[in-house]
Amino acid sequence: MSKSGVSVAPECIASFNELKLKKEFKYIIYKLSDDYKEIVVEEKSADGDWETFQAKLMNAKSSHKGREGKGPRYAVYDFDYELAAGEGKRSKITFISWSPDEGTLVFPRMTYASSKESLKNALNGIAAEVQANRDDEIEYATILKDITRGKR
């Protein structure tokens, strides 16, 4: 359980293991339940199209006390990439914490921030982590550059 009292649903771990071990999915998007008590799977997909995945994060919504704003999300994406100089292909399972700086309600943003470690710790086998708060930080080239250099 996280500092915020939020728990991780067993489905989160099971879905991650299907991505990691069986390669059934390219990505999983996680969200907080409507009552902000549990992290749940919002969507999982075998579609590796980055723009579709990115749009789902950027268009996510959260509500609290009758107000709606941009929605923070957690995600896991299985990045495949080529090494420079023809050294072969690599894959990195990357944990992404998406929390837009603008348009996000305070309560969801704070709850996501204080619950992130619980989910991350429950998902055994994450190779890289990215914290993205602006649209340019969720661009494929930006994230790929960071994970291949071991940053973020």
Side-chain angles (χ1 to χ4, degrees):
M1 189 167 293
S2 70
K3 295 176 189 176
S4 63
V6 172
S7 63
V8 177
E11 178 193 14
C12 295
I13 299 163
S15 295
F16 176 77
N17 287 333
E18 290 169 3
L19 177 144
K20 180 177 79 169
L21 302 173
K22 298 179 183 175
K23 301 289 185 184
E24 287 188 24
F25 308 113
K26 191 67 177 168
Y27 67 82
I28 305 166
I29 298 174
Y30 302 95
K31 70 172 202 156
L32 288 172
S33 58
D34 292 340
D35 62 3
Y36 291 90
K37 301 231 182 267
E38 186 174 44
I39 299 169
V40 298
V41 172
E42 180 175 47
E43 182 176 341
K44 45 192 174 182
S45 177
D47 179 7
D49 181 62
W50 179 262
E51 287 77 25
T52 302
F53 168 74
Q54 179 185 26
K56 290 181 183 294
L57 291 181
M58 294 174 74
N59 295 321
K61 302 284 183 205
S62 288
S63 60
H64 181 65
K65 295 187 177 180
R67 296 179 58 216
E68 185 175 84
K70 289 185 178 181
R73 292 293 186 270
Y74 311 114
V76 173
Y77 192 94
D78 191 3
F79 273 90
D80 294 317
Y81 59 95
E82 294 275 340
L83 291 175
E87 296 176 24
K89 289 186 175 186
R90 295 288 187 270
S91 177
K92 272 195 182 177
I93 297 174
T94 304
F95 182 87
I96 300 168
S97 179
W98 169 245
S99 187
D101 280 337
E102 296 182 19
T104 306
L105 301 174
V106 173
F107 181 79
R109 187 176 171 100
M110 293 298 115
T111 308
Y112 271 85
S114 62
S115 304
K116 176 177 88 169
E117 290 301 316
S118 287
L119 177 60
K120 206 173 86 174
N121 291 339
L123 306 178
N124 205 354
I126 292 171
E129 179 184 354
V130 172
Q131 172 69 46
N133 302 97
R134 297 186 323 264
D135 293 356
D136 64 321
E137 293 176 332
I138 199 80
E139 293 292 332
Y140 183 85
T142 303
I143 292 177
L144 187 60
K145 182 175 141 185
D146 288 348
I147 67 169
T148 56
R149 288 187 180 170
K151 293 184 178 180
R152 285 173 57 167

